[in-house]
Amino acid sequence: MASQGNGSSDESIFKTPTIKFTKLFINGEFVDSVSGKTFETIDPRNGEVIARIAEGDKGDIDVAVKAARHAFDHGPWPRLPGVARARIMHKFADLIEENVEELAALDTVDAGKLFSAGKALDIPHVASLLRYYAGAADKIHGEVLKMSRELQGYTLLEPIGVVGHIVPWNFPSTIFFMKVAPALAAGCTMIVKPAEQTPLSALYYAHLSKLAGIPDGVINVVTGFGPTAGAALSCHMDVDKVSFTGSTEVGHKVMKAAAESNLKQVSLELGGKSPLLIFDDADVDKAAELALLGVLYNKGEICVASSRVFVQEGIYDELVKKLIEKAKNCVIGDPFDSKTQLGPQVDKQQFEKILSYIEHGKGEGATLLTGGKPSRNKGYFLQPTIFSDVKEDMLIAKDEIFGPVMSLMKFKTIDEAIKCANNTRYGLAAGIVTKNLDVANTVSRSIRAGIIWINCYFAFDNDCPYGGYKMSGFGRDFGIEALHKFLQVKSVVTPIYNSPWL
């Protein structure tokens, strides 16, 4: 296995894909931005420009919302039987599966994601998300109400209307469909604003949606920047809901814009500083693997990263040795190389932000056990970084770093572990490693977070709701709960006369 810092390049084996779509997708057509402006999307492997992308702003959002509103108010999509929407969504999934390699490659060159993981996991998963919600599209039912007097009542579940989806850069494909798939099943129309760092796959999905037969205006993709296109979407008076995934800081702005405009509904999946609690009875090798998976997967660019690792004192020293050994053996390199385990951070800004947090950690007195430096002269590659002697009031223990940086802390008792785990403004996820069922039950019920993983990590499933407590936001992705985010309840009541039954 190669040592960190020298993963080999596979560019001679895999040819970087031709960029086919660089314009906005509005009302079923690829169009230039109103202003004619473009922006660069950068390859994080080398800092070079991949392509110039149309830069949408308020004017383009207005055009896209108008198209989505017309498609909702007058178009066929919300009025199709659920089974007909499902048929088109299955066709969309088929097309994604037929283009899996090209889509995975786009996310690799745009976001630095591992090509092997994209091809085997991310892109097949988005097809499965479409199929999951296609299966729900014809099962959207209200209920008959047992009224307390001579009235007949029932509820209808109706699509909420025009939805704005604001998608982050760390999982450009997965989160695109975490939002789009349930909204399609519900019968909504939508505008997607992908992150400016990773617009390529979103535009390709727009192209495939047209081929699948999704009517014009149902899916619109406006590439651009958060303060312009994203802000315009959040405050638009004709958007009925905004679904946002990203930082807590921007989540505040989205919610404020929604409140100050038309009181549109909002769902937010925001930041995290997730704890992993490792108890004395844990298998040390397994615990070390889970801890590193939790902080290195996707280069640490994941909201649920287990960046705070609390270890019971009985196995602390042994676990630390394992972590250092495994971290030093991590293969860093070109994400197209099948041997690579850690690709580049998404862009220069994120790369420098992570390095600044590492300097904060050293300056505040934490002990740097391994890593902490760039691993290549070119591109945005970082070594896996582990700190010990971390105090809970240090920035590296409080702030979401969004990179391959682990903070190690020691605890004695279960009560102390629970208190430490909850000592954060976030509440997205948590992990527990123990063989004791009583400990697992007690701790999982005591941590204030939206999902708890016991003896596993990143155990996501289409059927399992996922979302946050506290400043990690509200609303749930995955599961039927996500479908209900894009539906609203209408009650219908009529009087009944001379009925033998209420």
Side-chain angles (χ1 to χ4, degrees):
M1 180 177 283
S3 62
Q4 60 173 272
N6 291 306
S8 60
S9 173
D10 236 11
E11 288 184 281
S12 60
I13 298 171
F14 190 92
K15 190 175 184 298
T16 301
T18 302
I19 307 306
K20 299 173 183 174
F21 307 105
T22 60
K23 297 184 178 184
L24 313 180
F25 185 79
I26 298 177
N27 206 26
E29 301 293 336
F30 283 102
V31 296
D32 291 319
S33 61
V34 171
S35 67
K37 290 184 188 176
T38 60
F39 65 95
E40 294 174 345
T41 189
I42 303 295
D43 188 335
R45 298 176 300 164
N46 49 34
E48 295 175 3
V49 177
I50 305 167
R52 296 198 66 89
I53 307 297
E55 182 184 336
D57 55 26
K58 183 181 182 301
D60 304 284
I61 292 292
D62 287 341
V63 175
V65 171
K66 184 177 180 181
R69 173 55 61 192
H70 186 272
F72 186 78
D73 290 345
H74 305 290
W77 189 254
R79 294 158 188 84
L80 286 175
V83 68
R85 287 201 298 273
R87 193 176 298 118
I88 295 170
M89 291 172 70
H90 279 295
K91 175 63 175 173
F92 196 178
D94 290 342
L95 290 168
I96 289 169
E97 288 170 341
E98 290 170 16
N99 291 275
V100 62
E101 190 160 298
E102 188 166 1
L103 288 162
L106 290 175
D107 282 348
T108 297
V109 297
D110 225 8
K113 296 176 71 68
L114 297 183
F115 177 66
S116 58
K119 191 174 169 184
L121 299 173
D122 288 32
I123 309 306
H125 180 222
V126 304
S128 79
L129 267 171
L130 275 168
R131 297 193 193 285
Y132 177 87
Y133 288 105
D138 61 350
K139 301 170 185 69
I140 298 171
H141 306 305
E143 59 184 8
V144 176
L145 306 174
K146 180 67 173 174
M147 309 288 272
S148 62
R149 52 202 181 97
E150 292 181 335
L151 298 169
Q152 174 177 292
Y154 61 92
T155 60
L156 297 170
L157 297 180
E158 298 184 343
I160 202 166
V162 175
V163 180
H165 300 299
I166 302 177
V167 178
W169 45 258
N170 58 327
F171 283 86
S173 290
T174 302
I175 299 177
F176 184 102
F177 283 98
M178 280 168 62
K179 298 178 181 302
V180 166
L184 284 174
C188 296
T189 62
M190 61 208 73
I191 304 92
V192 183
K193 207 295 282 183
E196 58 269 24
Q197 295 90 341
T198 54
L200 296 178
S201 60
L203 294 171
Y204 203 107
Y205 291 124
H207 161 69
L208 295 182
S209 74
K210 175 93 170 181
L211 296 183
I214 291 177
D216 293 349
V218 173
I219 295 178
N220 305 274
V221 176
V222 178
T223 50
F225 295 87
T228 49
L233 193 56
S234 299
C235 70
H236 203 287
M237 294 296 292
D238 218 12
V239 171
D240 300 301
K241 180 183 176 75
V242 170
S243 174
F244 171 77
T245 297
S247 71
T248 298
E249 177 190 9
V250 177
H252 279 290
K253 295 177 182 178
V254 170
M255 197 167 177
K256 183 178 180 182
E260 290 180 345
S261 54
N262 60 343
L263 286 174
K264 60 177 66 65
Q265 289 191 30
V266 175
S267 59
L268 303 172
E269 195 265 280
L270 306 176
K273 194 69 178 175
S274 300
L276 177 65
L277 308 182
I278 301 173
F279 290 87
D280 278 344
D281 65 345
D283 178 285
V284 175
D285 278 312
K286 180 178 180 181
E289 287 174 9
L290 287 176
L292 283 173
L293 172 71
V295 81
L296 298 185
Y297 185 71
N298 202 52
K299 311 157 288 172
E301 294 173 345
I302 182 165
C303 308
V304 293
S306 59
S307 52
R308 295 185 299 142
V309 178
F310 298 94
V311 186
Q312 201 161 14
E313 58 186 3
I315 60 168
Y316 181 85
D317 291 339
E318 185 184 359
L319 184 71
V320 168
K321 289 177 185 175
K322 295 278 186 186
L323 289 171
I324 295 170
E325 177 190 347
K326 290 177 184 291
K328 286 183 175 179
N329 283 327
C330 182
V331 182
I332 306 168
D334 191 298
F336 280 114
D337 188 334
S338 60
K339 300 182 186 70
T340 295
Q341 296 169 305
L342 205 65
Q345 309 307 135
V346 70
D347 64 8
K348 185 178 181 182
Q349 182 180 351
Q350 184 63 19
F351 174 76
E352 291 178 346
K353 174 189 169 186
I354 297 165
L355 285 172
S356 73
Y357 271 110
I358 291 169
E359 290 306 308
H360 271 296
K362 292 190 287 187
E364 289 182 316
T367 301
L368 181 63
L369 296 177
T370 187
K373 297 178 182 177
S375 67
R376 287 184 164 200
N377 295 326
K378 192 176 185 182
Y380 309 127
F381 297 85
L382 278 175
Q383 297 172 347
T385 300
I386 302 175
F387 281 103
S388 65
D389 302 313
V390 178
K391 308 300 181 190
E392 291 184 79
D393 60 350
M394 292 179 178
L395 276 183
I396 58 171
K398 294 192 300 183
D399 287 6
E400 183 179 41
I401 298 173
F402 228 61
V405 181
M406 178 191 296
S407 293
L408 273 172
M409 289 166 273
K410 193 185 297 185
F411 70 89
K412 291 183 179 180
T413 67
I414 292 175
D415 288 344
E416 183 187 353
I418 292 167
K419 183 179 177 182
C420 291
N422 285 329
N423 185 22
T424 174
R425 61 188 178 272
Y426 298 114
L428 197 54
I432 301 165
V433 188
T434 181
K435 296 173 185 173
N436 187 315
L437 182 60
D438 291 336
V439 170
N441 283 335
T442 299
V443 176
S444 62
R445 282 162 171 76
S446 302
I447 295 177
R448 298 194 65 219
I451 189 165
I452 313 290
W453 289 303
I454 299 171
N455 296 326
C456 58
Y457 212 80
F458 299 134
F460 290 110
D461 189 85
N462 291 346
D463 244 332
C464 183
Y466 158 69
Y469 283 29
K470 300 189 281 186
M471 291 184 75
S472 290
F474 49 83
R476 294 294 180 264
D477 293 307
F478 296 137
I480 297 303
E481 282 84 354
L483 178 68
H484 284 269
K485 288 196 307 189
F486 302 107
L487 297 165
Q488 51 191 355
V489 179
K490 176 184 283 180
S491 298
V492 181
V493 180
T494 59
I496 53 175
Y497 303 101
N498 302 318
S499 171
W501 311 106
L502 281 181

